[in-house]
Amino acid sequence: MSVGEVEVGERSGWLSCAGCRQLVYGKRWTRNLGVCPFCQHHGRLTARARIAGLVDPGSFAEITAPEGAVDPLGFVDSMPYPQRLARARGATGEREAVVGGTATVDGHPVALAVMDFRFLGGSLGTGTGELITRVAEEALARAVPVLLVPASGGARMQEGILSLLQMAKVSQALDRLHEAGLLVVSIVTDPTYGGVAASFATQADVILAEPGARLGFAGPRVIRDTIGQELPLGFQTAEFLREHGLVDLVVDRSRLPEVVGRLLAAAGRTPRAARGHGPVGAAAPAPRPLERPVRPGTDAWAVVQRARALDRPTVRDYAGRICDWFLELHGDRLGADSATMVGGLARIGDRHVVLVGTQKGHSTREVLATNFGMAGPEGYRKAIRLFSLAEKLRLPVVTLVDTPGAYPGLDAERHGQAHTIAASILRLVGLRTPVVSVITGEGGSGGALALAVADRTFMLSNAVYSVISPEGCAAILWSAQDAPRAAAALRLTAPDLLDLGVIDGVVPEPDGGAQRDPDGTAVRLRRTIEDALAALDGVDVQEVVARRRARLRAIGAPGEAAVPPPDGTVPDGERPSVGYLVGPVAR
């Protein structure tokens, strides 16, 4: 028998791997969770074997549903539908193509529905839809996340239109979970097609996929026969979907409990005050003062050069240093992923956050792959998706910005670059969760602002933030050789912007820049972020949004003070929305 079809725990002889055709001893196959030890092909598992490999031992409690009409259409193909159903039940030992229940994963409670492809090809029938809906309703009642593990060929033909409408029935149940702010995670397994792929399998907040798992609305044979074309290598596989922004992560089966556990930990409910949902007007704790940064000098052009240094730490470098763990998520869900826009779930100290930032790179190959840190529309769509996830889970957002600006290419314009930047700014303006932003290198124009609309904004001491590059400004107003003059005129350094009330503080760098001591810079960056988030704890989200809007409303308004007092502090209640400082900063 092929390993791709074997049932874990039911064979002890030799099996042939469907991927490499090597013989695998049945007990070794079972111990390896159905993964070939030679080629890593992920074979199919029974629903209960999947549950056993995912959840904490002894934690699963099954949910059942009463049986409805067995044969609503009186359908007969080569045999009457009731007879076909009875055969499936006898062969699998299951009542339906899904097993549902509650459990814990790494100690975190979850409700889960796991499909079994052995049962009529994992087809979605009325019994399947009813049980998945009941799992979602149980999750809603318990206020716990939902884990879905689809494996299906599509809707069940023998139940006709009633089967088709299970797509909408389960969708409404998931919509209630989304409204309640409960995380929904899908683990795509092989194969997942048709009505399941076009409904709950892809309606999750986070979509994981096993290596090689295939997902699509129509199967490859149907597509090939319809369009008369050969399909790309690996078409519809998890890896293909990940590359095209349609799944977040491709995860080996052995790592699924760890990854799911981290997702559940980030979505775990903590006291409301710790998530920025305290009483309106609650006082924020007094923040620790920032270290006194060394002013980088008056040569703005030299600061621009330091901000652009190729060896300057990137968002990935900082994520590895300031986060206790970082789980990167991928894709804009519209057919693309961005190498430039990096984001995902993370833990910084005792807080889970959504971290988003622009990536440049250190080598020529890396900066070419990221367009020198300039994101296209797919990058901003990814960021917006992550902002929305943060709002749903009531997690603060941290953005790290290092970009010359948005990518100005033909494809970017064709796919709505201006629209996506505008949408990102608008999403952040009203985002119902705290936002902290740090300009770590270049902050160029609208491409940077699309990530930097925040409750607290900081800059590293050798970073720059400007409406246009010095070269662009000089070319328009003077000549291309006047870029240093333009840099000084634009007042784009951190001390300048602190004076203008645009930012809230400066994170010091060592002499020569952050690259001279990335660990030390990361320590100061992390402390700044933690203090900023602490200052926003206990504030109701409506108040957070109101203060953010008031802060933006005051920028450039007539009569507003533009420069803080000489000691670099702002008294309580004075100029709260323009240049509020978290502590003394050297002038």
Side-chain angles (χ1 to χ4, degrees):
M1 176 180 283
S2 160
V3 165
E5 300 174 356
V6 74
E7 301 167 11
V8 167
E10 296 187 3
R11 296 275 170 170
S12 58
W14 291 91
L15 307 163
S16 173
C17 171
C20 65
R21 301 302 176 186
Q22 289 269 17
L23 291 178
V24 183
Y25 190 52
K27 290 185 178 180
R28 186 180 184 187
W29 155 259
T30 300
R31 287 196 306 270
N32 215 35
L33 301 175
V35 178
C36 175
F38 303 107
C39 71
Q40 304 305 306
H41 172 76
H42 283 53
R44 295 175 189 163
L45 301 182
T46 69
R48 295 187 188 275
R50 287 195 180 278
I51 291 170
L54 273 172
V55 309
D56 297 334
S59 68
F60 180 70
E62 191 166 355
I63 295 173
T64 59
E67 187 170 71
V70 172
D71 187 15
L73 304 184
F75 195 96
V76 179
D77 44 53
S78 60
M79 67 179 68
Y81 177 51
Q83 184 178 344
R84 186 174 295 281
L85 199 61
R87 284 192 176 187
R89 289 172 173 171
T92 65
E94 304 293 353
R95 298 295 298 171
E96 255 300 341
V98 65
V99 176
T102 59
T104 61
V105 178
D106 196 24
H108 303 286
V110 66
L112 67 163
V114 181
M115 299 192 74
D116 197 321
F117 193 79
R118 300 174 305 157
F119 195 105
L120 299 181
S123 54
L124 177 61
T126 55
T128 317
E130 177 65 24
L131 185 51
I132 297 172
T133 300
R134 285 177 178 251
V135 167
E137 290 170 345
E138 183 68 18
L140 188 65
R142 296 187 180 210
V144 299
V146 164
L147 178 61
L148 303 170
V149 186
S152 176
R156 192 171 299 172
M157 294 177 292
Q158 293 90 342
E159 296 186 16
I161 192 67
L162 297 179
S163 172
L164 179 71
L165 288 174
Q166 298 308 302
M167 296 166 62
K169 175 178 177 174
V170 176
S171 297
Q172 66 80 28
L174 295 188
D175 189 50
R176 295 179 66 194
L177 295 174
H178 291 314
E179 286 182 350
L182 296 171
L183 178 71
V184 180
V185 178
S186 174
I187 302 175
V188 174
T189 67
D190 187 65
T192 300
Y193 281 112
V196 170
S199 59
F200 58 89
T202 53
Q203 289 170 338
D205 300 298
V206 178
I207 303 176
L208 311 177
E210 290 191 334
R214 294 165 295 167
L215 177 142
F217 184 60
R221 183 187 304 172
V222 172
I223 297 172
R224 192 182 297 111
D225 292 346
T226 301
I227 67 175
Q229 295 179 7
E230 286 301 313
L231 303 179
L233 186 66
F235 181 68
Q236 293 185 324
T237 63
E239 294 75 12
F240 179 92
L241 298 169
R242 158 66 183 80
E243 181 182 347
H244 289 82
L246 298 173
V247 303
D248 285 288
L249 291 168
V250 179
V251 184
D252 287 342
R253 189 172 291 165
S254 61
R255 290 195 61 233
L256 281 171
E258 172 197 350
V259 173
V260 171
R262 287 190 171 181
L263 291 170
L264 298 179
R269 293 299 188 226
T270 56
R272 291 174 64 86
R275 292 289 183 89
H277 290 256
V280 175
R288 294 175 295 180
L290 287 174
E291 292 183 21
R292 300 176 69 84
V294 177
R295 190 180 182 98
T298 58
D299 187 349
W301 182 242
V303 178
V304 171
Q305 301 308 305
R306 286 195 287 269
R308 294 173 174 174
L310 199 60
D311 55 352
R312 194 169 178 84
T314 68
V315 63
R316 292 189 190 279
D317 296 325
Y318 284 125
R321 289 176 167 89
I322 70 172
C323 300
D324 299 285
W325 58 258
F326 174 57
L327 183 64
E328 185 174 353
L329 304 178
H330 293 272
D332 66 354
R333 293 292 188 270
L334 292 177
D337 189 33
S338 170
T340 309
M341 196 70 69
V342 173
L345 295 165
R347 195 184 78 214
I348 301 176
D350 60 356
R351 288 180 180 83
H352 289 96
V353 304
V354 168
L355 177 68
V356 180
T358 45
Q359 173 77 8
K360 281 186 177 178
H362 298 299
S363 67
T364 301
R365 181 177 180 180
E366 289 174 349
V367 296
L368 288 175
T370 66
N371 290 322
F372 294 83
M374 296 184 288
E378 66 281 359
Y380 293 104
R381 286 194 295 263
K382 181 202 288 190
I384 292 168
R385 181 185 145 232
L386 293 172
F387 297 155
S388 297
L389 178 62
E391 182 180 74
K392 175 180 177 177
L393 300 180
R394 297 188 294 182
L395 298 176
V397 170
V398 175
T399 66
L400 302 181
V401 183
D402 183 11
T403 177
Y407 184 61
L410 179 63
D411 281 345
E413 291 299 320
R414 183 183 292 120
H415 294 108
Q417 183 72 292
H419 291 73
T420 55
I421 292 171
S424 185
I425 293 172
L426 188 63
R427 192 71 185 94
L428 284 176
V429 164
L431 196 69
R432 293 171 57 82
T433 195
V435 183
V436 173
S437 181
V438 184
I439 313 296
T440 61
E442 288 186 276
S445 192
L449 181 63
L451 298 183
V453 175
D455 303 293
R456 298 287 188 272
T457 305
F458 303 91
M459 291 176 66
L460 267 63
S461 57
N462 283 305
V464 294
Y465 190 16
S466 177
V467 65
I468 192 172
S469 69
E471 294 91 338
C473 177
I476 293 170
L477 298 181
W478 299 298
S479 68
Q481 291 75 31
D482 287 316
R485 176 185 176 187
L490 287 167
R491 295 190 65 187
L492 43 64
T493 69
D496 288 328
L497 298 179
L498 191 63
D499 290 343
L500 291 170
V502 172
I503 64 172
D504 300 297
V506 181
V507 182
E509 298 181 43
D511 292 340
Q515 63 270 27
R516 294 292 182 87
D517 182 14
D519 291 334
T521 304
V523 167
R524 290 185 287 273
L525 176 61
R526 172 170 166 145
R527 195 190 73 179
T528 300
I529 292 169
E530 287 184 307
D531 284 355
L533 292 175
L536 295 164
D537 276 350
V539 183
D540 183 81
V541 288
Q542 294 182 359
E543 182 71 10
V544 167
V545 173
R547 292 180 185 180
R548 187 186 307 142
R549 288 173 172 165
R551 170 191 177 109
L552 296 168
R553 173 66 180 84
I555 293 176
E560 289 290 343
V563 181
D567 65 357
T569 62
V570 177
D572 291 342
E574 183 176 326
R575 211 166 53 85
S577 57
V578 182
Y580 178 80
L581 304 181
V582 298
V585 177
R587 310 312 303 163

